[in-house]
Amino acid sequence: MKQRSHLWLLVFAGLVLVACNQENPTNTSETPPNIVFILADDFGWKDASYNGSEYYDTPNIDRIAKKGFKFTNGYATCQVCSPSRASIMTGKFPARHGITDYIGAWSDTTWRGAGRFTALLPAKYDQALNSADTTLAEVLQTAGYRTFFAGKWHLGSKGSWPEDHGFDINKGGWEKGSPIGGYFSPWTNPNLDNQKDGENLSIRLADETVAFMSSHHPDTTGKPFFAFLSFYAVHSPIQTTEEKWAKYRAKAERQGIAPSAYKMGHFLPIRQVQDNPIYAGLVETMDEAVGKVLTGLDELGLAENTIVVFTSDNGGVAAGDAFSTSNLPLRGGKGYQYEGGIREPYLIKVPWMKAESTEITTPATGTDFYPTLLELAGLSALPHQHQDGISLVPALKGQELPERPLIWHYPHYGNQGGEPSSIIRRGDWKLIQYYESDKQELFNLSTDLEEQHNLVMKHPEIAERLHKELFDYLNSVGALFPRKDPLYDAQNEQAYLQSIENELLPRLEEERLQILSPDFDGGNWWGSQVVED
């Protein structure tokens, strides 16, 4: 157990149930609201059909969007997973909480082992969630909530698992960031047993969540619950069933299979079209799992007093990993400093809150969930903890929020081709500071969502003002930065990049067409061909 000196914790346990309804009078339920937080992994802004994808089918995610609030400028706090997840839990930007890369990534001199031959050595970073932080789960747990976690954690090894940070029950959360053994049982996970060969991991996690909600029904326990369903999907390895592959292969054919799908980025090829039928099947299965949870809430009679959140931890994988999707018109994807790497589906469904328009253009980010959910639950804000988040409840009520800076700090090279950089967005303006070249890019997102027109030379005064605000913040929180590699050899890097363009790019194009061929053989379809008992 953590040693805490916060006196407010002593007050919460006895007063929260009464305070909730007093502070949130629009919720007419006699009990505080339940919270279901659904976090997808590597699910891009354009991967949901409600947001314009014509290839992927996501009717259940769309259901949340239809009944909830859609933040069209919703962001993760980092372009890779662990930092974003830590921000949701702590209400702090990565530069402040110290986890600035995915846990397990090489940094400093160990980075040379990646064979990338880059000019900089990435900054060091924290390898676990700081126990001095009071997580969102701990606050709710202390306030009388039963807390449950299912799926991907990736915020530290044993001793820093979900149960060490405020979750009563942990089903499948450990240090790994991908599903070891794949999406079909048998998998390797010390916190999620194998029950039946061929069982799908996303469906299993949804079933565990519904079972928790049933066994901890507020009518029985007298307590609300906080269920955090953190899918491993749609992270690589991308896997699906033969039936879903066939469905989406045929769909790609109907829509017209482009002769090529990639273009070279700075370090890697970047996918330009959504037509991978294996990835599409993985997306659909995750959506089916979301549907199981929503149906469970309905059948248990809990939907009208349960807040549902859906978001992702970073952009869709357009380069690196499995090169699975395209985020166009957003530039880049997972690992990138552009909008495709950080802008996400960002949905909040509050059953007792209705609005004429459920689309909210106010920029919001992962740190905002913490204070928002506290306010919706009728709990006091903890500004000393969620220092980089604000409550979005006024925006849900149709009110204006004050303009504020959003800040990203990624002093690393992404596996997907992103560059060491820091970002600030204020209003419509976005400034990117690169550490390798020391260049800056300035975009007006209201007129250039695709980030094609660098306006630094046209508006140097805006760039200078944002640069100062960005580094005032980074320096105030003790942010770490990359450093020059004294062993850097430009010729070695150029040879590496040439091999990517000459060898990897054509291989990716060939593999794509193979997967889309009617004769494609997926082997045993990753163990998904199972005879039911």
Side-chain angles (χ1 to χ4, degrees):
M1 294 293 293
K2 294 184 179 179
Q3 298 297 316
R4 306 184 186 93
S5 59
H6 306 306
L7 294 179
W8 57 265
L9 288 173
L10 300 177
V11 178
F12 264 154
L15 299 182
V16 63
L17 298 182
V18 174
C20 178
N21 286 324
Q22 290 177 342
E23 293 181 21
N24 192 6
T26 56
N27 179 11
T28 59
S29 173
E30 295 180 358
T31 59
N34 308 299
I35 301 169
V36 172
F37 196 115
I38 304 174
L39 179 62
D41 192 14
D42 293 357
F43 187 73
W45 177 79
K46 196 63 180 291
D47 282 351
S49 49
Y50 86 84
N51 211 28
S53 176
E54 297 179 353
Y55 188 58
Y56 311 128
D57 293 336
T58 59
N60 295 296
I61 296 170
D62 297 353
R63 178 180 163 191
I64 302 173
K66 184 177 181 180
K67 294 186 177 182
F69 296 91
K70 301 180 288 292
F71 284 79
T72 57
N73 286 274
Y75 290 95
T77 63
C78 188
Q79 47 267 62
V80 296
C81 59
S82 297
S84 297
R85 292 164 181 269
S87 291
I88 291 170
M89 291 293 169
T90 66
K92 297 178 178 180
F93 288 145
R96 190 189 298 273
H97 63 57
I99 303 175
T100 53
D101 204 353
Y102 75 88
I103 293 175
W106 288 330
S107 64
D108 202 57
T109 56
T110 65
W111 170 248
R112 295 180 183 133
R116 293 273 299 276
F117 310 107
T118 57
L120 301 180
L121 295 173
K124 295 181 179 180
Y125 63 94
D126 289 348
Q127 299 281 320
L129 200 60
N130 193 332
S131 60
D133 278 310
T134 303
T135 67
L136 174 61
E138 287 173 319
V139 175
L140 293 172
Q141 185 184 56
T142 303
Y145 277 72
R146 296 304 307 271
T147 56
F148 169 87
F149 186 91
K152 175 173 173 174
W153 179 246
H154 206 188
L155 289 174
S157 55
K158 194 168 185 178
S160 186
W161 283 355
E163 55 267 42
D164 303 302
H165 293 283
F167 289 98
D168 299 318
I169 300 170
N170 170 26
K171 295 289 185 179
W174 62 316
E175 58 260 36
K176 299 298 183 181
S178 60
I180 306 302
Y183 284 99
F184 297 95
S185 180
W187 47 67
T188 299
N189 189 314
N191 295 320
L192 192 70
D193 61 335
N194 289 280
Q195 296 182 346
K196 182 176 63 176
D197 285 352
E199 182 179 23
N200 181 273
L201 179 59
S202 297
I203 299 299
R204 170 67 179 281
L205 294 174
D207 287 341
E208 293 283 358
T209 303
V210 174
F212 165 79
M213 295 190 304
S214 177
S215 62
H216 294 81
H217 198 294
D219 287 353
T220 302
T221 65
K223 297 180 178 181
F225 61 72
F226 173 49
F228 198 109
L229 172 53
S230 176
F231 288 113
Y232 282 94
V234 287
H235 194 287
S236 64
I238 57 169
Q239 299 175 338
T240 191
T241 63
E242 185 172 10
E243 290 76 15
K244 282 187 169 57
W245 164 80
K247 169 186 172 179
Y248 285 101
R249 194 213 68 79
K251 190 172 185 178
E253 190 170 57
R254 290 194 304 273
Q255 293 179 348
I257 297 175
S260 64
Y262 295 92
K263 74 173 185 179
M264 274 301 301
H266 183 72
F267 289 115
L268 286 172
I270 302 175
R271 180 180 272 270
Q272 303 296 296
V273 296
Q274 293 183 345
D275 67 358
N276 187 319
I278 301 175
Y279 180 75
L282 179 60
V283 168
E284 183 176 316
T285 299
M286 182 188 72
D287 183 79
E288 291 170 348
V290 171
K292 275 182 165 281
V293 175
L294 299 180
T295 299
L297 287 171
D298 289 336
E299 293 178 347
L300 292 168
L302 295 168
E304 292 307 307
N305 195 37
T306 300
I307 300 161
V308 177
V309 171
F310 179 88
T311 193
S312 179
D313 60 354
N314 49 248
V317 184
D321 299 352
F323 295 84
S324 305
T325 193
S326 170
N327 301 289
L328 293 177
L330 303 187
R331 186 174 176 180
K334 177 184 178 180
Y336 282 79
Q337 59 277 6
Y338 299 114
E339 292 292 284
I342 55 178
R343 193 180 290 216
E344 311 300 330
Y346 196 109
L347 309 175
I348 304 176
K349 175 179 174 287
V350 186
W352 61 89
M353 295 185 73
K354 309 296 181 183
E356 290 184 6
S357 174
T358 59
E359 283 199 357
I360 298 174
T361 59
T362 302
T365 189
T367 55
D368 298 332
F369 289 119
Y370 195 136
T372 300
L373 292 173
L374 288 189
E375 183 169 353
L376 289 172
L379 302 176
S380 299
L382 302 175
H384 62 279
Q385 174 57 53
H386 48 75
Q387 293 174 271
D388 298 311
I390 63 171
S391 173
L392 301 173
V393 171
L396 303 184
K397 295 179 178 179
Q399 302 168 11
E400 292 289 328
L401 289 175
E403 186 178 278
R404 44 139 183 180
L406 301 183
I407 289 173
W408 294 262
H409 182 59
Y410 189 65
H412 311 279
Y413 292 96
N415 289 344
Q416 303 77 23
E419 302 172 61
S421 58
S422 294
I423 308 165
I424 181 170
R425 174 175 177 173
R426 178 179 275 281
D428 292 328
W429 293 100
K430 175 182 176 180
L431 179 78
I432 305 173
Q433 173 67 51
Y434 292 87
Y435 293 113
E436 184 176 291
S437 62
D438 199 34
K439 73 174 182 180
Q440 296 175 358
E441 289 179 323
L442 177 69
F443 302 108
N444 186 324
L445 296 177
S446 67
T447 58
D448 184 22
L449 184 62
E450 299 84 0
E451 295 173 286
Q452 296 298 309
H453 306 289
N454 184 2
L455 301 176
V456 166
M457 299 300 292
K458 187 174 182 180
H459 295 286
E461 73 289 353
I462 296 176
E464 183 178 356
R465 173 169 50 83
L466 292 177
H467 182 272
K468 181 180 186 305
E469 187 171 19
L470 171 62
F471 281 89
D472 282 349
Y473 173 86
L474 293 177
N475 291 328
S476 74
V477 298
L480 301 180
F481 298 93
R483 62 187 180 94
K484 292 183 178 180
D485 186 353
L487 302 184
Y488 172 65
D489 187 317
Q491 289 184 331
N492 284 340
E493 182 180 27
Q494 187 57 40
Y496 166 78
L497 294 176
Q498 199 67 48
S499 71
I500 294 296
E501 185 167 2
N502 295 340
E503 299 171 21
L504 177 60
L505 177 58
R507 186 170 75 245
L508 288 171
E509 295 283 15
E510 181 182 353
E511 290 173 353
R512 166 182 167 263
L513 294 178
Q514 288 175 351
I515 291 171
L516 285 165
S517 168
D519 300 324
F520 176 67
D521 182 6
N524 72 346
W525 290 93
W526 304 283
S528 63
Q529 300 288 4
V530 181
V531 177
E532 296 290 341
D533 293 338

